[in-house]
Amino acid sequence: MGKLRYALWLILLSPVQLALANSQFNMRKGVTDISNSVYELHMTIFIICCVIGIIVFAVMFWALIHHRKSKGAKPAQFHESTKVEILWTAIPFVILIAMAIPATKTLIAMEDASKADITIKVTGSQWKWHYEYMGEEIAYYSILSTPKDQIDNQADKTEHYLLEVDKPLVLPINKKVRFLMTSDDVIHSWWVPDFAVKKDANPGFINEAWTRINEPGIYRGQCAELCGKDHGFMPVVVQALPEDEFANWLAEAKQEKANAAAADAALLDQTLPKEELMVLGEQVYMASCAACHQPTGMGLPGVFPALKGSPIVLGDVKDHIDIVLHGKPGTAMQAFDKQLSIKQLAAVITYKRNAWGNDTGDVIQPSQIQAAIDATTEAKE
């Protein structure tokens, strides 16, 4: 079957194949064996369709020209030809089998996520991706990093507008990587064209996909499922590294995690000034909260509640900390206990309780956040 494909390419449409190989209108070959197989399958089906079209239209126009009334042609009077019916049934059947064999082989290979070297849990949430390296105790969120002034058309858009993140997913080349896809809220879809990977992330379910990257580089994709008002701000960026560089990155990531834990521990005995917390809190709020609750704190009526004058923001501090840490089930309010450090959490809660005229005067300290986290952990145990 492979020889037949290449023979068709060379004999019939090799000029078209070469012209489309680098065309921005065609499917890309990608950087994995599967993506190359998908591309070849795509081109094979395309060539078969072109050949069918050429033959059918050639016969049709030949018949129109040679059997026209002006030449004295008279219509034949026949029907119910068993030979013709068998012929026009058998030929499409053979064509479909010729298409089905390579398509089935490719689909089976795409679904075989066994014997993976690395497993990554990918969790979609409005509107970011969470990556967890199973067995390595490394996990982080990947969030859009395109500056807001570009989004608001107040600055020129760069080459990778809306396709850039603060922390890309880092993977090694020449290793089979298994993805476990799920979601915290609505249906998302993790899509990287260069890998030929596009898999839905459904809440409450786990879907599998896999890739083996052949070339180092940075590869971009995005959420391919309409998942809410900021669906267009949920890119996927993957950085593929040689194996030794990936091992170094993994060691550095583990050290950064240990350093962050030590820094959090050092904060527990400190009392941070309100001014410092308000400055940091505004930064965190704009990055993590403003998409829903708006920069003004007024929210979106009927969709996202306002924080200005909110009973939660103006009410008991413990209740406010609890909803920020653990979210609110059944709503778009996410849990931020694993997304932000205890200093960032203390800062953003302090900011909410003192911005937009709320002026509660409350100054939340990292030690209060840690106490709430510890209480939750003890309750679960």
Side-chain angles (χ1 to χ4, degrees), residues 34 64 91 97 168 180 206-207 230 265 276 287 311:
I34 287 293
L64 288 172
I91 291 176
I97 293 298
L180 302 177
I206 296 288
N207 286 332
D230 279 353
E276 178 182 346

Side-chain angles (χ1 to χ4, degrees), residues 95 145 212 234 352:
I95 293 172
S145 63
R212 188 194 303 271
M234 197 172 171
K352 292 176 182 178

Side-chain angles (χ1 to χ4, degrees), residues 78-92:
F78 68 90
H79 59 85
E80 297 181 2
S81 171
T82 303
K83 292 181 179 180
V84 171
E85 291 183 1
I86 292 174
L87 189 63
W88 71 36
T89 301
I91 291 176

Side-chain angles (χ1 to χ4, degrees), residues 127-147:
W127 289 273
K128 59 182 77 72
W129 297 102
H130 182 257
Y131 300 122
E132 181 179 353
Y133 292 73
M134 307 299 287
E136 297 292 349
E137 297 184 355
I138 297 297
Y140 56 87
Y141 283 84
S142 182
I143 303 172
L144 176 74
S145 63
T146 297

Side-chain angles (χ1 to χ4, degrees), residues 76-329:
Q77 301 294 323
F78 68 90
H79 59 85
E80 297 181 2
S81 171
T82 303
K83 292 181 179 180
V84 171
E85 291 183 1
I86 292 174
L87 189 63
W88 71 36
T89 301
I91 291 176
F93 177 78
V94 172
I95 293 172
L96 288 174
I97 293 298
M99 292 180 174
I101 292 174
T104 301
K105 290 173 63 177
T106 301
L107 288 171
I108 291 174
M110 291 175 71
E111 295 299 322
D112 182 14
S114 63
K115 299 179 181 179
D117 299 303
I118 299 172
T119 299
I120 308 290
K121 182 181 178 184
V122 180
T123 305
S125 58
Q126 295 176 313
W127 289 273
K128 59 182 77 72
W129 297 102
H130 182 257
Y131 300 122
E132 181 179 353
Y133 292 73
M134 307 299 287
E136 297 292 349
E137 297 184 355
I138 297 297
Y140 56 87
Y141 283 84
S142 182
I143 303 172
L144 176 74
S145 63
T146 297
K148 195 172 186 303
D149 55 0
Q150 291 185 27
I151 297 173
D152 294 338
N153 295 316
Q154 296 175 354
D156 293 336
K157 294 174 173 55
T158 56
E159 178 185 1
H160 300 302
Y161 173 71
L162 296 186
L163 291 175
E164 50 200 340
V165 297
D166 57 349
K167 293 181 180 180
L169 174 64
V170 181
L171 298 176
I173 63 171
N174 301 323
K175 293 289 186 180
K176 187 169 184 178
V177 181
R178 176 184 178 225
F179 299 110
L180 302 177
M181 311 285 190
T182 188
S183 170
D184 280 337
D185 36 51
V186 298
I187 300 176
H188 302 278
S189 186
W190 198 85
W191 176 47
V192 180
D194 284 307
F195 302 164
V197 174
K198 179 181 178 291
K199 185 68 70 172
D200 280 357
N202 300 317
F205 294 88
I206 296 288
N207 286 332
E208 281 188 319
W210 71 276
T211 192
R212 188 194 303 271
I213 308 169
N214 297 330
E215 303 172 15
I218 295 178
Y219 306 104
R220 303 176 191 275
Q222 55 198 150
C223 178
E225 189 73 43
L226 186 60
C227 59
K229 77 177 192 67
D230 279 353
H231 159 69
F233 304 115
M234 197 172 171
V236 177
V237 180
V238 178
Q239 183 178 11
L241 298 176
E243 294 176 49
D244 55 343
E245 293 184 23
F246 174 77
N248 293 336
W249 173 86
L250 195 60
E252 291 174 0
K254 291 179 179 179
Q255 186 59 50
E256 288 179 6
K257 180 181 179 181
N259 294 341
D264 282 349
L267 287 172
L268 299 181
D269 297 325
Q270 297 182 28
T271 300
L272 302 179
K274 179 181 178 181
E275 293 74 15
E276 178 182 346
L277 291 171
M278 288 294 289
V279 171
L280 176 59
E282 183 177 14
Q283 296 171 359
V284 175
Y285 178 84
M286 296 305 295
S288 302
C289 310
C292 296
H293 297 292
Q294 303 302 296
T296 60
M298 295 302 295
L300 292 174
V303 183
F304 301 112
L307 298 181
K308 180 178 180 180
S310 165
I312 292 176
V313 174
L314 298 179
D316 185 76
V317 171
K318 290 183 178 180
D319 292 340
H320 192 182
I321 292 175
D322 181 74
I323 197 170
V324 173
L325 286 179
H326 308 119
K328 186 176 181 180

